[in-house]
Coordinates of all heavy atoms in Angstrom, one line a residue:
L261 N -1.3 -15.5 -7.6 CA 0.1 -15.8 -7.8 C 1.0 -14.8 -7.0 O 0.8 -13.5 -7.2 CB 0.5 -15.7 -9.3 CG -0.2 -16.7 -10.2 CD1 -1.4 -16.1 -10.9 CD2 0.8 -17.3 -11.2
G262 N 1.8 -15.3 -6.1 CA 2.6 -14.4 -5.2 C 2.4 -14.8 -3.7 O 1.4 -15.4 -3.4
G263 N 3.5 -14.5 -3.0 CA 3.4 -14.9 -1.6 C 3.9 -13.9 -0.6 O 4.3 -14.2 0.5
G264 N 3.9 -12.6 -1.1 CA 4.5 -11.5 -0.3 C 3.5 -11.0 0.7 O 2.5 -11.6 1.0
N265 N 3.7 -9.7 1.1 CA 2.9 -9.1 2.1 C 1.4 -9.0 1.7 O 0.5 -9.3 2.5 CB 3.4 -7.7 2.4 CG 4.7 -7.7 3.2 OD1 4.8 -8.4 4.2 ND2 5.7 -7.1 2.6
L266 N 1.2 -8.5 0.5 CA -0.3 -8.4 0.1 C -0.9 -9.7 -0.2 O -2.0 -10.0 0.2 CB -0.4 -7.5 -1.2 CG -1.8 -7.3 -1.7 CD1 -2.8 -6.8 -0.7 CD2 -1.8 -6.3 -2.9
A267 N -0.2 -10.6 -0.9 CA -0.8 -11.9 -1.2 C -1.1 -12.7 0.1 O -2.2 -13.4 0.2 CB 0.2 -12.8 -2.0
Y268 N -0.3 -12.5 1.1 CA -0.6 -13.1 2.4 C -2.0 -12.7 3.0 O -2.7 -13.6 3.4 CB 0.5 -12.7 3.4 CG 0.4 -13.3 4.8 CD1 0.9 -14.5 5.1 CD2 -0.2 -12.5 5.8 CE1 0.9 -15.1 6.3 CE2 -0.2 -13.1 7.1 CZ 0.3 -14.3 7.3 OH 0.2 -14.8 8.6
W286 N -0.2 -19.9 -6.2 CA 1.2 -20.2 -6.7 C 2.2 -19.2 -6.1 O 1.9 -18.0 -6.0 CB 1.2 -20.0 -8.3 CG 2.5 -20.2 -8.9 CD1 3.1 -21.3 -9.4 CD2 3.5 -19.1 -9.0 NE1 4.4 -21.0 -9.8 CE2 4.7 -19.7 -9.6 CE3 3.5 -17.7 -8.8 CZ2 5.8 -18.9 -9.9 CZ3 4.7 -17.0 -9.1 CH2 5.8 -17.6 -9.7
T287 N 3.3 -19.8 -5.6 CA 4.4 -18.9 -5.4 C 5.7 -19.7 -5.9 O 5.6 -20.9 -6.1 CB 4.7 -18.7 -3.8 OG1 5.2 -19.8 -3.2 CG2 3.4 -18.3 -3.1
R288 N 6.8 -19.0 -6.1 CA 7.9 -19.7 -6.7 C 8.6 -20.5 -5.7 O 9.4 -21.4 -6.1 CB 8.9 -18.7 -7.4 CG 9.4 -17.6 -6.5 CD 10.3 -16.7 -7.3 NE 10.8 -15.6 -6.5 CZ 11.6 -14.7 -6.9 NH1 12.0 -14.7 -8.1 NH2 12.0 -13.7 -6.1
S289 N 8.3 -20.3 -4.4 CA 9.0 -21.2 -3.4 C 8.0 -22.3 -3.0 O 6.8 -22.0 -2.6 CB 9.4 -20.4 -2.2 OG 8.9 -20.9 -1.0
Q292 N 6.6 -21.9 0.7 CA 5.7 -20.7 0.8 C 4.3 -21.1 0.2 O 3.3 -20.7 0.8 CB 6.3 -19.5 0.1 CG 5.8 -18.2 0.7 CD 6.5 -17.0 0.1 OE1 6.8 -17.1 -1.1 NE2 6.7 -16.0 0.9
L296 N 0.9 -21.0 2.4 CA -0.2 -20.2 2.1 C -1.5 -21.0 1.7 O -2.6 -20.6 2.0 CB 0.1 -19.2 1.0 CG 0.9 -18.0 1.3 CD1 1.2 -17.1 0.1 CD2 0.2 -17.2 2.4
L320 N -2.0 -11.5 -10.3 CA -0.5 -11.5 -10.2 C -0.1 -10.5 -9.1 O -0.1 -9.3 -9.3 CB 0.1 -11.1 -11.5 CG 0.3 -12.2 -12.6 CD1 -1.0 -12.8 -13.0 CD2 1.1 -11.7 -13.8
C321 N 0.1 -11.1 -7.9 CA 0.4 -10.2 -6.7 C 1.9 -10.4 -6.4 O 2.2 -10.9 -5.3 CB -0.5 -10.7 -5.6 SG -0.6 -9.6 -4.2
V322 N 2.7 -10.0 -7.4 CA 4.1 -10.2 -7.2 C 4.8 -8.8 -7.3 O 4.1 -7.8 -7.6 CB 4.8 -11.1 -8.3 CG1 4.3 -12.5 -8.0 CG2 4.4 -10.6 -9.7
S323 N 6.1 -8.7 -7.0 CA 6.7 -7.4 -7.0 C 6.6 -6.7 -8.4 O 6.6 -7.4 -9.4 CB 8.2 -7.5 -6.6 OG 8.8 -8.6 -7.3
D324 N 6.5 -5.4 -8.3 CA 6.2 -4.6 -9.5 C 7.0 -5.1 -10.8 O 6.5 -5.2 -11.8 CB 6.4 -3.1 -9.3 CG 5.2 -2.6 -8.4 OD1 4.3 -3.3 -8.0 OD2 5.3 -1.4 -8.2
D325 N 8.3 -5.2 -10.5 CA 9.2 -5.5 -11.6 C 9.1 -6.9 -12.2 O 9.6 -7.1 -13.3 CB 10.7 -5.2 -11.2 CG 10.9 -3.7 -11.0 OD1 10.1 -2.9 -11.5 OD2 11.9 -3.4 -10.3
S326 N 8.4 -7.8 -11.5 CA 8.3 -9.1 -12.1 C 6.9 -9.4 -12.7 O 6.7 -10.5 -13.3 CB 8.6 -10.2 -11.0 OG 7.8 -10.0 -9.9
I327 N 6.0 -8.4 -12.6 CA 4.6 -8.6 -13.2 C 4.7 -8.9 -14.7 O 4.1 -9.9 -15.1 CB 3.7 -7.4 -12.9 CG1 3.5 -7.1 -11.4 CG2 2.3 -7.6 -13.6 CD1 2.9 -5.8 -11.1
S329 N 7.1 -10.0 -16.7 CA 7.7 -11.3 -17.1 C 6.9 -12.5 -16.7 O 6.7 -13.4 -17.5 CB 9.2 -11.4 -16.6 OG 9.1 -11.3 -15.2
L330 N 6.3 -12.4 -15.5 CA 5.4 -13.5 -15.1 C 4.2 -13.6 -16.0 O 3.8 -14.7 -16.4 CB 5.0 -13.3 -13.6 CG 4.2 -14.4 -13.0 CD1 4.9 -15.8 -13.0 CD2 3.8 -14.1 -11.5
E333 N 5.2 -15.5 -19.0 CA 5.4 -16.9 -18.8 C 4.1 -17.7 -18.7 O 4.0 -18.9 -18.9 CB 6.2 -17.1 -17.5 CG 7.7 -16.8 -17.6 CD 8.4 -16.9 -16.2 OE1 8.3 -17.9 -15.6 OE2 8.9 -15.8 -15.8
H346 N -3.2 -7.4 -12.0 CA -2.2 -7.2 -11.0 C -2.7 -6.3 -9.9 O -3.9 -5.8 -10.0 CB -0.8 -6.7 -11.6 CG -0.8 -5.4 -12.2 ND1 -1.0 -4.2 -11.4 CD2 -0.7 -4.9 -13.5 CE1 -0.9 -3.2 -12.2 NE2 -0.8 -3.5 -13.4
T347 N -1.9 -6.0 -8.9 CA -2.4 -5.3 -7.7 C -1.5 -4.0 -7.5 O -1.6 -3.4 -6.4 CB -2.3 -6.2 -6.5 OG1 -1.0 -6.7 -6.3 CG2 -3.3 -7.3 -6.6
S348 N -0.7 -3.6 -8.5 CA 0.2 -2.5 -8.3 C -0.4 -1.1 -8.5 O -1.3 -0.9 -9.4 CB 1.4 -2.7 -9.3 OG 2.1 -1.5 -9.3
G349 N 0.0 -0.2 -7.7 CA -0.5 1.2 -7.8 C 0.2 1.9 -9.0 O -0.3 2.8 -9.6
S350 N 1.4 1.5 -9.3 CA 2.2 2.3 -10.2 C 2.4 1.7 -11.6 O 2.7 2.4 -12.6 CB 3.6 2.6 -9.7 OG 4.2 1.3 -9.4
K351 N 2.1 0.4 -11.8 CA 2.2 -0.2 -13.1 C 0.9 -0.1 -13.8 O -0.2 -0.3 -13.3 CB 2.6 -1.7 -13.0 CG 4.0 -1.9 -12.4 CD 5.0 -1.6 -13.4 CE 6.4 -1.6 -12.7 NZ 7.5 -1.1 -13.6
L366 N -6.5 -4.5 -9.6 CA -7.2 -4.4 -8.4 C -6.2 -3.8 -7.4 O -5.3 -4.5 -6.9 CB -7.7 -5.7 -7.9 CG -8.4 -5.7 -6.5 CD1 -9.9 -5.2 -6.7 CD2 -8.4 -7.1 -6.0
Y367 N -6.3 -2.5 -7.1 CA -5.3 -1.8 -6.3 C -5.9 -1.5 -4.9 O -6.8 -0.6 -4.8 CB -4.8 -0.5 -7.0 CG -3.9 0.4 -6.1 CD1 -2.8 -0.1 -5.5 CD2 -4.3 1.7 -5.9 CE1 -2.0 0.7 -4.7 CE2 -3.4 2.5 -5.1 CZ -2.3 2.0 -4.5 OH -1.5 2.8 -3.8
P368 N -5.4 -2.1 -3.9 CA -5.9 -1.7 -2.5 C -5.1 -0.6 -2.0 O -3.9 -0.7 -1.9 CB -5.7 -3.0 -1.7 CG -4.6 -3.8 -2.4 CD -4.4 -3.2 -3.8
L369 N -5.8 0.5 -1.6 CA -5.1 1.7 -1.1 C -4.8 1.5 0.4 O -5.6 2.0 1.2 CB -5.9 2.9 -1.4 CG -5.2 4.3 -1.0 CD1 -3.8 4.4 -1.5 CD2 -6.1 5.4 -1.5
Q370 N -3.8 0.7 0.7 CA -3.5 0.4 2.1 C -2.1 -0.1 2.1 O -1.5 -0.5 1.1 CB -4.5 -0.7 2.6 CG -4.4 -1.0 4.1 CD -4.4 0.2 5.0 OE1 -3.3 0.9 5.1 NE2 -5.5 0.5 5.6
T371 N -1.5 -0.1 3.3 CA -0.2 -0.7 3.5 C -0.3 -2.1 4.2 O -1.1 -2.2 5.2 CB 0.8 0.2 4.3 OG1 2.0 -0.5 4.6 CG2 0.1 0.7 5.7
F372 N 0.4 -3.1 3.6 CA 0.2 -4.5 4.1 C 1.6 -5.0 4.6 O 2.6 -4.9 3.8 CB -0.3 -5.4 3.0 CG -1.7 -5.0 2.5 CD1 -1.8 -4.1 1.5 CD2 -2.8 -5.5 3.1 CE1 -3.0 -3.8 1.0 CE2 -4.1 -5.2 2.6 CZ -4.2 -4.3 1.5
S373 N 1.6 -5.6 5.8 CA 2.8 -6.3 6.2 C 2.3 -7.6 6.8 O 1.2 -7.6 7.5 CB 3.5 -5.5 7.3 OG 4.0 -4.3 6.8
K374 N 3.0 -8.7 6.6 CA 2.6 -10.0 7.1 C 2.3 -10.0 8.6 O 1.4 -10.6 9.1 CB 3.6 -11.1 6.8 CG 3.6 -11.5 5.3 CD 4.5 -12.6 5.0 CE 4.5 -12.9 3.5 NZ 5.5 -14.0 3.2
H421 N -1.2 6.5 -6.1 CA 0.0 5.8 -5.5 C 1.0 6.8 -5.0 O 1.6 6.6 -4.0 CB 0.5 4.9 -6.6 CG 1.7 4.0 -6.1 ND1 3.0 4.2 -6.5 CD2 1.7 3.0 -5.2 CE1 3.7 3.4 -5.9 NE2 3.0 2.6 -5.1
N428 N 2.0 7.7 3.6 CA 2.4 6.5 4.4 C 3.9 6.3 4.5 O 4.5 6.3 5.5 CB 1.7 5.3 3.8 CG 2.2 4.0 4.5 OD1 2.9 3.2 4.0 ND2 1.9 3.9 5.8
N429 N 4.5 6.2 3.3 CA 6.0 5.8 3.3 C 6.8 6.9 3.9 O 7.8 6.6 4.7 CB 6.4 5.5 1.9 CG 5.6 4.4 1.2 OD1 5.7 4.3 0.0 ND2 4.9 3.6 1.9
Ligands
NAP286 N1 2.4 -4.4 0.5 C1 1.7 -3.3 0.2 O1 1.5 -2.5 1.1 C2 1.0 -3.1 -1.1 C3 -0.1 -2.3 -1.2 C4 -0.7 -2.1 -2.4 C5 -0.3 -2.8 -3.5 N2 0.8 -3.6 -3.4 C6 1.3 -4.3 -4.7 O2 1.1 -5.7 -4.5 C7 2.2 -6.3 -5.2 C8 2.9 -7.3 -4.3 O3 3.5 -6.4 -3.3 P1 4.0 -7.0 -1.9 O4 4.1 -5.9 -1.0 O5 3.2 -8.2 -1.5 O6 5.5 -7.5 -2.3 P2 6.5 -8.4 -1.5 O7 6.1 -8.5 -0.1 O8 7.8 -7.8 -1.8 O9 6.4 -9.8 -2.2 C9 6.8 -9.9 -3.5 C10 6.3 -11.3 -4.0 O10 6.7 -11.3 -5.4 C11 7.5 -12.5 -5.6 N3 8.4 -12.3 -6.7 C12 9.4 -11.4 -6.8 N4 10.1 -11.6 -8.0 C13 9.5 -12.6 -8.6 C14 9.7 -13.2 -9.9 N5 10.6 -12.8 -10.7 N6 8.9 -14.2 -10.3 C15 7.9 -14.6 -9.4 N7 7.6 -14.1 -8.2 C16 8.4 -13.0 -7.8 C17 8.2 -12.8 -4.3 O11 8.6 -14.1 -4.2 P3 9.7 -14.6 -3.2 O12 9.1 -14.5 -1.8 O13 10.1 -15.9 -3.7 O14 10.9 -13.6 -3.3 C18 7.0 -12.4 -3.3 O15 6.1 -13.5 -3.2 C19 3.1 -5.3 -5.9 O16 2.6 -5.0 -7.2 C20 2.8 -4.0 -5.0 O17 3.0 -2.8 -5.7 C21 1.5 -3.8 -2.3

Side-chain angles (χ1 to χ4, degrees):
L261 296 100
N265 288 306
L266 178 53
Y268 181 83
W286 172 93
T287 77
R288 58 183 177 176
S289 131
Q292 205 174 37
L296 279 183
L320 276 60
C321 192
V322 292
S323 48
D324 285 2
D325 289 339
S326 57
I327 296 169
S329 56
L330 183 59
E333 287 175 57
H346 66 69
T347 56
S348 166
S350 57
K351 294 287 172 190
L366 176 79
Y367 172 55
L369 184 51
Q370 186 50 281
T371 172
F372 299 89
S373 299
K374 285 184 184 175
H421 184 250
N428 174 250
N429 304 162

